[in-house]
Amino acid sequence: MRPRERTIELLRWMVEQYSPSHHEQTFSRALAERLERRGWRARVDEVGNAIASFGEGETCIALLGHIDTVPGEVPVRLEGQRLFGRGAVDAKGALAAFIEAVELLEEHERAGKQFLLLGCVEEEVALTRGALHVREHYQPDFVINGEPSGAHAVTIGYKGLLRIELEKRSSRRHTASRDYRAPAEHVIEAWNALRGYCDEWNRERPLFEQNLPSLTHFDTRSSDAEEWATASVNVRTGPSSDGARLLSALASVPEVEVRVLSRKEAVSTNGSDSLSRAFKQAIRERGARPTLRKKTGTSDWNTVASAWPVPIVAYGPGDSALDHTPDEHIELPEYEEAVTVLARVLSLLPSRQAHSQT
Amino acid sequence: MQPQAQSGTVGINQCPLCIMEIKGDDRVEGEVLTCDGCSAELEVVGVSPLRLAEAPEVEEDWGE
Protein backbone atom coordinates (compact mmCIF):
# COMPACT_ATOMS: atom_id res chain seq x y z
CA MET A 1 0.00 0.00 0.00
CA ARG A 2 1.39 3.40 -0.92
CA PRO A 3 1.75 6.01 1.82
CA ARG A 4 -1.16 8.45 1.81
CA GLU A 5 -0.96 12.17 1.99
CA ARG A 6 -3.91 13.21 4.12
CA THR A 7 -6.37 15.34 2.22
CA ILE A 8 -10.07 16.07 2.37
CA GLU A 9 -10.18 17.59 -1.10
CA LEU A 10 -12.20 14.77 -2.71
CA LEU A 11 -14.52 14.25 0.26
CA ARG A 12 -15.21 17.94 0.67
CA TRP A 13 -15.91 18.37 -3.04
CA MET A 14 -18.38 15.49 -2.96
CA VAL A 15 -20.19 16.86 0.08
CA GLU A 16 -20.40 20.29 -1.57
CA GLN A 17 -22.34 18.78 -4.50
CA TYR A 18 -25.86 18.81 -3.07
CA SER A 19 -27.58 15.77 -4.60
CA PRO A 20 -30.90 14.81 -2.98
CA SER A 21 -32.76 11.84 -4.46
CA HIS A 22 -34.11 12.48 -7.98
CA HIS A 23 -31.65 15.39 -8.39
CA GLU A 24 -28.35 13.51 -8.69
CA GLN A 25 -27.56 14.10 -12.37
CA THR A 26 -25.23 17.09 -12.08
CA PHE A 27 -23.22 15.33 -9.39
CA SER A 28 -23.25 12.04 -11.27
CA ARG A 29 -21.74 13.62 -14.40
CA ALA A 30 -19.21 15.65 -12.44
CA LEU A 31 -18.13 12.60 -10.46
CA ALA A 32 -17.64 10.54 -13.62
CA GLU A 33 -15.54 13.33 -15.15
CA ARG A 34 -13.45 13.67 -12.02
CA LEU A 35 -12.85 9.92 -11.84
CA GLU A 36 -11.73 9.90 -15.49
CA ARG A 37 -9.13 12.51 -14.61
CA ARG A 38 -7.94 10.30 -11.73
CA GLY A 39 -7.36 7.35 -14.03
CA TRP A 40 -10.65 5.46 -13.73
CA ARG A 41 -12.86 4.47 -16.66
CA ALA A 42 -16.10 6.22 -15.82
CA ARG A 43 -19.52 6.96 -17.25
CA VAL A 44 -23.08 7.75 -16.29
CA ASP A 45 -25.41 4.84 -17.03
CA GLU A 46 -28.98 4.76 -18.34
CA VAL A 47 -30.61 5.53 -14.98
CA GLY A 48 -28.09 8.14 -13.90
CA ASN A 49 -25.75 6.01 -11.78
CA ALA A 50 -22.08 7.03 -11.78
CA ILE A 51 -20.19 3.86 -12.78
CA ALA A 52 -16.39 3.58 -12.79
CA SER A 53 -13.83 0.82 -12.90
CA PHE A 54 -10.17 0.56 -12.05
CA GLY A 55 -8.05 -2.42 -13.12
CA GLU A 56 -8.63 -5.18 -15.63
CA GLY A 57 -8.51 -8.33 -13.49
CA GLU A 58 -11.00 -11.18 -13.56
CA THR A 59 -12.03 -10.85 -9.91
CA CYS A 60 -14.63 -8.13 -9.65
CA ILE A 61 -14.89 -6.30 -6.34
CA ALA A 62 -17.98 -4.09 -6.36
CA LEU A 63 -17.93 -0.95 -4.24
CA LEU A 64 -21.64 -0.30 -4.00
CA GLY A 65 -22.41 3.21 -2.83
CA HIS A 66 -25.07 5.80 -3.41
CA ILE A 67 -24.74 9.33 -4.71
CA ASP A 68 -28.07 10.66 -3.45
CA THR A 69 -28.81 12.04 -0.03
CA VAL A 70 -31.94 12.86 1.88
CA PRO A 71 -33.16 16.43 1.23
CA GLY A 72 -32.11 19.26 3.50
CA GLU A 73 -28.88 21.14 2.97
CA VAL A 74 -26.36 21.29 5.79
CA PRO A 75 -23.89 24.19 5.30
CA VAL A 76 -20.56 22.65 4.33
CA ARG A 77 -17.87 23.71 6.78
CA LEU A 78 -14.85 22.44 8.58
CA GLU A 79 -14.87 22.83 12.35
CA GLY A 80 -11.64 21.52 13.77
CA GLN A 81 -11.45 17.90 12.66
CA ARG A 82 -15.13 17.70 11.69
CA LEU A 83 -16.47 18.15 8.19
CA PHE A 84 -20.15 19.12 8.22
CA GLY A 85 -22.44 18.69 5.23
CA ARG A 86 -25.33 16.65 3.87
CA GLY A 87 -24.01 13.24 2.88
CA ALA A 88 -20.77 13.50 4.88
CA VAL A 89 -21.81 10.32 6.67
CA ASP A 90 -24.65 8.97 4.53
CA ALA A 91 -22.92 8.06 2.36
CA LYS A 92 -20.42 10.21 0.47
CA GLY A 93 -17.85 9.49 3.17
CA ALA A 94 -17.90 5.81 2.24
CA LEU A 95 -17.92 6.58 -1.50
CA ALA A 96 -14.89 8.88 -1.27
CA ALA A 97 -13.10 6.36 0.95
CA PHE A 98 -13.68 3.65 -1.68
CA ILE A 99 -12.03 5.78 -4.36
CA GLU A 100 -9.07 6.81 -2.25
CA ALA A 101 -8.49 3.27 -0.96
CA VAL A 102 -8.34 1.79 -4.47
CA GLU A 103 -5.89 4.48 -5.55
CA LEU A 104 -3.58 3.64 -2.63
CA LEU A 105 -2.98 0.08 -3.79
CA GLU A 106 0.31 -0.98 -5.31
CA GLU A 107 0.20 -2.75 -8.65
CA HIS A 108 0.84 -6.18 -7.11
CA GLU A 109 -2.05 -5.61 -4.65
CA ARG A 110 -4.39 -4.87 -7.54
CA ALA A 111 -3.21 -7.79 -9.68
CA GLY A 112 -6.03 -9.97 -10.95
CA LYS A 113 -8.72 -7.62 -9.61
CA GLN A 114 -11.10 -5.10 -11.04
CA PHE A 115 -12.62 -2.51 -8.73
CA LEU A 116 -16.10 -1.52 -9.81
CA LEU A 117 -17.45 1.65 -8.25
CA LEU A 118 -21.25 1.76 -8.37
CA GLY A 119 -22.53 5.20 -7.37
CA CYS A 120 -26.25 4.53 -7.34
CA VAL A 121 -29.13 6.97 -7.50
CA GLU A 122 -32.25 6.94 -5.36
CA GLU A 123 -31.10 4.80 -2.45
CA GLU A 124 -32.87 7.10 -0.01
CA VAL A 125 -36.31 6.57 -1.57
CA ALA A 126 -38.43 3.45 -1.60
CA LEU A 127 -37.75 2.24 -5.13
CA THR A 128 -33.90 2.10 -5.00
CA ARG A 129 -33.81 2.43 -8.80
CA GLY A 130 -30.04 2.67 -9.09
CA ALA A 131 -29.38 -0.59 -7.26
CA LEU A 132 -32.17 -2.36 -9.13
CA HIS A 133 -30.42 -1.40 -12.36
CA VAL A 134 -26.85 -2.41 -11.45
CA ARG A 135 -27.89 -5.76 -10.04
CA GLU A 136 -29.06 -6.76 -13.53
CA HIS A 137 -25.86 -5.63 -15.27
CA TYR A 138 -22.95 -6.90 -13.18
CA GLN A 139 -21.89 -10.10 -11.45
CA PRO A 140 -19.25 -9.18 -8.87
CA ASP A 141 -17.28 -11.67 -6.75
CA PHE A 142 -17.31 -9.50 -3.62
CA VAL A 143 -19.47 -6.53 -2.64
CA ILE A 144 -18.74 -3.81 -0.13
CA ASN A 145 -21.80 -1.65 0.43
CA GLY A 146 -20.78 1.89 1.36
CA GLU A 147 -22.77 2.83 4.44
CA PRO A 148 -21.55 4.21 7.77
CA SER A 149 -20.47 1.53 10.21
CA GLY A 150 -17.57 3.28 11.93
CA ALA A 151 -13.96 2.72 10.93
CA HIS A 152 -13.45 -0.23 13.28
CA ALA A 153 -16.81 -1.90 12.73
CA VAL A 154 -18.43 -3.84 9.90
CA THR A 155 -22.15 -4.09 9.24
CA ILE A 156 -23.03 -7.75 8.78
CA GLY A 157 -26.79 -7.44 8.41
CA TYR A 158 -29.78 -5.25 7.67
CA LYS A 159 -33.35 -6.02 8.55
CA GLY A 160 -35.92 -6.48 5.80
CA LEU A 161 -38.83 -4.16 5.08
CA LEU A 162 -42.42 -5.02 4.20
CA ARG A 163 -44.55 -2.08 3.08
CA ILE A 164 -48.30 -2.59 3.17
CA GLU A 165 -51.39 -0.53 2.47
CA LEU A 166 -54.70 -1.26 4.22
CA GLU A 167 -58.05 -0.09 2.93
CA LYS A 168 -61.67 -0.48 3.94
CA ARG A 169 -64.41 0.97 1.69
CA SER A 170 -68.14 0.82 2.30
CA SER A 171 -71.37 2.45 1.19
CA ARG A 172 -72.13 5.54 3.12
CA ARG A 173 -74.50 5.07 6.05
CA HIS A 174 -75.79 7.19 8.86
CA THR A 175 -73.52 6.77 11.83
CA ALA A 176 -76.61 6.26 14.03
CA SER A 177 -77.78 3.23 12.03
CA ARG A 178 -77.87 -0.25 13.57
CA ASP A 179 -74.49 -2.09 13.73
CA TYR A 180 -72.71 0.77 12.07
CA ARG A 181 -68.93 0.50 12.15
CA ALA A 182 -66.86 3.18 10.52
CA PRO A 183 -64.25 2.02 7.97
CA ALA A 184 -61.57 3.40 10.28
CA GLU A 185 -62.59 0.91 12.98
CA HIS A 186 -61.96 -2.04 10.63
CA VAL A 187 -58.56 -0.72 9.63
CA ILE A 188 -57.61 -0.18 13.27
CA GLU A 189 -58.73 -3.70 14.07
CA ALA A 190 -56.42 -5.04 11.33
CA TRP A 191 -53.55 -2.94 12.66
CA ASN A 192 -54.18 -4.25 16.18
CA ALA A 193 -54.18 -7.84 14.88
CA LEU A 194 -50.81 -7.25 13.21
CA ARG A 195 -49.43 -5.53 16.30
CA GLY A 196 -50.57 -8.43 18.48
CA TYR A 197 -48.95 -10.99 16.21
CA CYS A 198 -45.68 -9.04 16.21
CA ASP A 199 -45.69 -8.59 20.00
CA GLU A 200 -46.07 -12.35 20.40
CA TRP A 201 -43.34 -13.07 17.82
CA ASN A 202 -40.94 -10.58 19.38
CA ARG A 203 -41.12 -12.04 22.87
CA GLU A 204 -37.62 -13.27 23.78
CA ARG A 205 -36.25 -12.65 20.30
CA PRO A 206 -33.27 -10.30 19.80
CA LEU A 207 -33.87 -7.01 18.03
CA PHE A 208 -32.50 -8.21 14.70
CA GLU A 209 -34.98 -11.11 14.63
CA GLN A 210 -38.01 -9.08 15.65
CA ASN A 211 -40.87 -7.79 13.52
CA LEU A 212 -41.10 -4.04 14.09
CA PRO A 213 -44.38 -2.64 12.74
CA SER A 214 -45.09 1.06 12.39
CA LEU A 215 -48.25 2.84 11.28
CA THR A 216 -46.87 5.59 9.06
CA HIS A 217 -50.04 7.06 7.59
CA PHE A 218 -53.77 6.99 8.36
CA ASP A 219 -56.56 8.70 6.46
CA THR A 220 -60.36 8.73 6.42
CA ARG A 221 -62.48 10.20 3.64
CA SER A 222 -65.96 10.13 2.21
CA SER A 223 -67.87 11.00 -0.95
CA ASP A 224 -71.61 11.29 -1.47
CA ALA A 225 -71.87 7.52 -1.93
CA GLU A 226 -68.89 6.00 -0.13
CA GLU A 227 -66.69 6.29 2.90
CA TRP A 228 -63.28 4.75 3.35
CA ALA A 229 -60.19 4.55 5.49
CA THR A 230 -56.63 3.82 4.40
CA ALA A 231 -53.45 3.18 6.33
CA SER A 232 -49.82 2.66 5.42
CA VAL A 233 -47.84 0.18 7.47
CA ASN A 234 -44.15 -0.70 7.45
CA VAL A 235 -42.85 -3.84 9.11
CA ARG A 236 -39.11 -4.18 9.63
CA THR A 237 -38.50 -7.90 9.52
CA GLY A 238 -35.75 -10.29 10.58
CA PRO A 239 -34.05 -13.16 8.72
CA SER A 240 -36.52 -15.72 10.07
CA SER A 241 -39.65 -13.58 9.83
CA ASP A 242 -42.56 -15.31 8.15
CA GLY A 243 -44.15 -12.92 5.67
CA ALA A 244 -47.11 -15.21 5.03
CA ARG A 245 -47.95 -15.27 8.73
CA LEU A 246 -47.66 -11.51 8.98
CA LEU A 247 -50.17 -11.16 6.18
CA SER A 248 -52.45 -13.82 7.63
CA ALA A 249 -52.64 -11.78 10.85
CA LEU A 250 -54.08 -8.96 8.76
CA ALA A 251 -56.36 -11.39 6.94
CA SER A 252 -58.04 -12.14 10.27
CA VAL A 253 -59.99 -8.96 9.58
CA PRO A 254 -61.41 -9.99 6.18
CA GLU A 255 -63.27 -6.73 5.57
CA VAL A 256 -59.97 -4.92 5.08
CA GLU A 257 -58.16 -5.10 1.77
CA VAL A 258 -54.42 -5.66 2.14
CA ARG A 259 -52.00 -4.58 -0.60
CA VAL A 260 -48.28 -5.39 -0.42
CA LEU A 261 -46.45 -2.42 -1.94
CA SER A 262 -42.92 -3.76 -1.66
CA ARG A 263 -40.94 -6.35 0.15
CA LYS A 264 -37.23 -6.55 0.89
CA GLU A 265 -35.87 -9.55 2.72
CA ALA A 266 -33.42 -9.18 5.60
CA VAL A 267 -29.77 -9.80 4.73
CA SER A 268 -26.93 -10.99 6.93
CA THR A 269 -23.70 -12.92 7.09
CA ASN A 270 -22.31 -14.75 10.10
CA GLY A 271 -18.97 -12.99 9.70
CA SER A 272 -17.02 -16.07 8.63
CA ASP A 273 -16.93 -15.47 4.85
CA SER A 274 -13.71 -14.36 3.19
CA LEU A 275 -14.77 -10.71 2.95
CA SER A 276 -15.75 -10.44 6.62
CA ARG A 277 -12.52 -12.15 7.60
CA ALA A 278 -10.50 -9.66 5.58
CA PHE A 279 -12.21 -6.78 7.41
CA LYS A 280 -11.62 -8.36 10.80
CA GLN A 281 -7.96 -8.89 9.99
CA ALA A 282 -7.50 -5.36 8.66
CA ILE A 283 -9.14 -3.82 11.74
CA ARG A 284 -7.13 -5.97 14.14
CA GLU A 285 -3.95 -4.93 12.32
CA ARG A 286 -4.86 -1.37 13.29
CA GLY A 287 -4.77 -2.48 16.93
CA ALA A 288 -8.53 -2.50 17.48
CA ARG A 289 -11.05 -5.21 18.28
CA PRO A 290 -13.57 -5.24 15.44
CA THR A 291 -17.28 -4.82 16.07
CA LEU A 292 -19.88 -6.53 13.91
CA ARG A 293 -23.14 -4.62 13.57
CA LYS A 294 -26.64 -5.75 12.69
CA LYS A 295 -28.88 -2.84 11.79
CA THR A 296 -32.60 -2.22 11.89
CA GLY A 297 -32.53 -0.15 8.68
CA THR A 298 -32.21 -1.25 5.07
CA SER A 299 -29.66 -0.42 2.39
CA ASP A 300 -28.90 -1.27 -1.23
CA TRP A 301 -27.52 -4.58 0.07
CA ASN A 302 -31.15 -5.67 0.54
CA THR A 303 -31.83 -4.82 -3.09
CA VAL A 304 -28.89 -6.67 -4.66
CA ALA A 305 -28.64 -9.67 -2.33
CA SER A 306 -30.97 -11.99 -4.23
CA ALA A 307 -29.10 -11.44 -7.51
CA TRP A 308 -25.57 -11.50 -6.10
CA PRO A 309 -24.99 -14.66 -4.01
CA VAL A 310 -21.45 -13.61 -3.05
CA PRO A 311 -19.83 -12.29 0.14
CA ILE A 312 -21.31 -8.88 1.02
CA VAL A 313 -20.82 -6.58 3.99
CA ALA A 314 -21.40 -2.87 4.54
CA TYR A 315 -18.65 -0.55 5.65
CA GLY A 316 -17.91 3.14 5.84
CA PRO A 317 -16.65 5.85 8.16
CA GLY A 318 -19.01 7.84 10.32
CA ASP A 319 -21.66 7.51 12.97
CA SER A 320 -24.97 6.42 11.47
CA ALA A 321 -26.81 8.17 14.31
CA LEU A 322 -25.98 11.38 12.39
CA ASP A 323 -27.67 10.14 9.19
CA HIS A 324 -30.41 12.49 7.97
CA THR A 325 -29.82 14.97 10.82
CA PRO A 326 -29.06 18.72 10.54
CA ASP A 327 -25.85 17.97 12.47
CA GLU A 328 -24.47 15.49 9.90
CA HIS A 329 -20.67 15.51 10.01
CA ILE A 330 -17.71 13.20 9.77
CA GLU A 331 -14.60 13.09 11.92
CA LEU A 332 -11.63 13.42 9.57
CA PRO A 333 -9.29 11.11 11.54
CA GLU A 334 -11.97 8.44 11.29
CA TYR A 335 -12.26 9.00 7.55
CA GLU A 336 -8.51 8.54 7.17
CA GLU A 337 -8.64 5.39 9.27
CA ALA A 338 -11.42 3.97 7.09
CA VAL A 339 -9.37 4.63 3.93
CA THR A 340 -6.49 2.68 5.46
CA VAL A 341 -8.70 -0.21 6.57
CA LEU A 342 -10.42 -0.37 3.19
CA ALA A 343 -7.16 -0.36 1.26
CA ARG A 344 -5.87 -3.22 3.38
CA VAL A 345 -9.10 -5.19 2.84
CA LEU A 346 -8.90 -4.70 -0.92
CA SER A 347 -5.32 -5.93 -0.93
CA LEU A 348 -6.20 -8.98 1.22
CA LEU A 349 -9.11 -10.17 -0.94
CA PRO A 350 -8.01 -13.09 -3.09
CA SER A 351 -8.11 -12.95 -6.86
CA ARG A 352 -9.10 -15.93 -9.00
CA GLN A 353 -5.63 -15.74 -10.50
CA ALA A 354 -4.05 -16.19 -7.05
CA HIS A 355 -6.42 -19.09 -6.32
CA SER A 356 -5.51 -20.91 -9.51
CA GLN A 357 -1.81 -20.58 -8.73
CA THR A 358 -2.11 -22.09 -5.25
CA MET B 1 -7.90 8.19 14.72
CA GLN B 2 -4.62 6.46 15.34
CA PRO B 3 -3.95 2.73 15.58
CA GLN B 4 -4.88 1.61 19.05
CA ALA B 5 -3.19 -0.68 21.51
CA GLN B 6 -4.61 -4.17 20.90
CA SER B 7 -7.56 -4.67 23.21
CA GLY B 8 -7.60 -7.96 25.04
CA THR B 9 -4.88 -10.53 25.13
CA VAL B 10 -3.94 -13.07 22.51
CA GLY B 11 -3.52 -16.73 23.40
CA ILE B 12 -1.02 -18.87 21.55
CA ASN B 13 -2.43 -22.37 21.15
CA GLN B 14 -4.72 -21.57 24.06
CA CYS B 15 -7.81 -19.64 25.02
CA PRO B 16 -6.76 -16.10 26.05
CA LEU B 17 -9.46 -16.10 28.74
CA CYS B 18 -9.26 -19.49 30.47
CA ILE B 19 -5.91 -20.67 29.01
CA MET B 20 -7.39 -23.98 27.96
CA GLU B 21 -5.25 -25.56 25.25
CA ILE B 22 -6.76 -25.33 21.78
CA LYS B 23 -5.34 -27.23 18.86
CA GLY B 24 -6.07 -26.99 15.19
CA ASP B 25 -4.05 -27.29 12.04
CA ASP B 26 -6.69 -26.37 9.52
CA ARG B 27 -7.76 -23.02 10.91
CA VAL B 28 -8.02 -19.91 8.77
CA GLU B 29 -7.50 -16.36 9.92
CA GLY B 30 -10.77 -14.71 10.85
CA GLU B 31 -12.48 -18.01 11.75
CA VAL B 32 -14.59 -17.93 14.90
CA LEU B 33 -14.66 -20.90 17.30
CA THR B 34 -15.99 -21.61 20.76
CA CYS B 35 -13.67 -22.49 23.62
CA ASP B 36 -14.61 -25.85 25.16
CA GLY B 37 -13.34 -24.64 28.53
CA CYS B 38 -15.22 -21.38 29.05
CA SER B 39 -17.57 -21.19 26.03
CA ALA B 40 -16.03 -17.89 24.96
CA GLU B 41 -16.22 -17.05 21.27
CA LEU B 42 -12.70 -16.75 19.93
CA GLU B 43 -11.34 -15.56 16.63
CA VAL B 44 -8.29 -16.99 14.92
CA VAL B 45 -5.96 -14.02 14.44
CA GLY B 46 -2.93 -16.03 13.31
CA VAL B 47 -1.90 -19.54 12.33
CA SER B 48 1.40 -21.39 12.81
CA PRO B 49 1.32 -20.94 15.72
CA LEU B 50 -2.41 -20.72 16.35
CA ARG B 51 -3.17 -17.29 17.85
CA LEU B 52 -6.58 -16.61 19.36
CA ALA B 53 -8.28 -13.43 20.53
CA GLU B 54 -11.75 -12.60 21.79
CA ALA B 55 -14.15 -12.66 18.85
CA PRO B 56 -15.64 -9.38 17.62
CA GLU B 57 -18.54 -8.02 19.57
CA VAL B 58 -21.83 -8.27 17.76
CA GLU B 59 -24.03 -5.23 18.30
CA GLU B 60 -27.58 -4.52 17.23
CA ASP B 61 -27.98 -0.95 16.09
CA TRP B 62 -31.00 1.16 15.43
CA GLY B 63 -30.60 2.90 12.11
CA GLU B 64 -29.21 2.46 8.64
Side-chain angles (χ1 to χ4, degrees), chain A residues 90 123 147 152 206-208 277 280-281 284 286-298 320 323 333 337, chain B residues 1-7 28-32 41 43-45 53-64:
Chain A
D90 185 15
E123 190 271 349
E147 293 286 354
H152 292 156
L207 179 63
F208 194 64
R277 286 191 277 112
K280 289 189 288 186
Q281 180 179 338
R284 284 195 192 273
R286 300 298 293 166
R289 183 182 174 192
T291 299
L292 306 180
R293 299 194 195 283
K294 293 178 176 177
K295 301 211 171 198
T296 55
T298 56
S320 62
D323 290 3
E337 183 71 3
Chain B
M1 185 179 286
Q2 297 298 317
Q4 303 169 354
Q6 179 75 49
S7 58
V28 291
E29 202 157 334
E31 180 182 349
V32 174
E41 294 230 303
E43 183 182 325
V44 177
V45 296
E54 281 186 88
E57 287 180 275
V58 179
E59 292 183 354
E60 292 183 318
D61 269 12
W62 293 93
E64 187 184 51

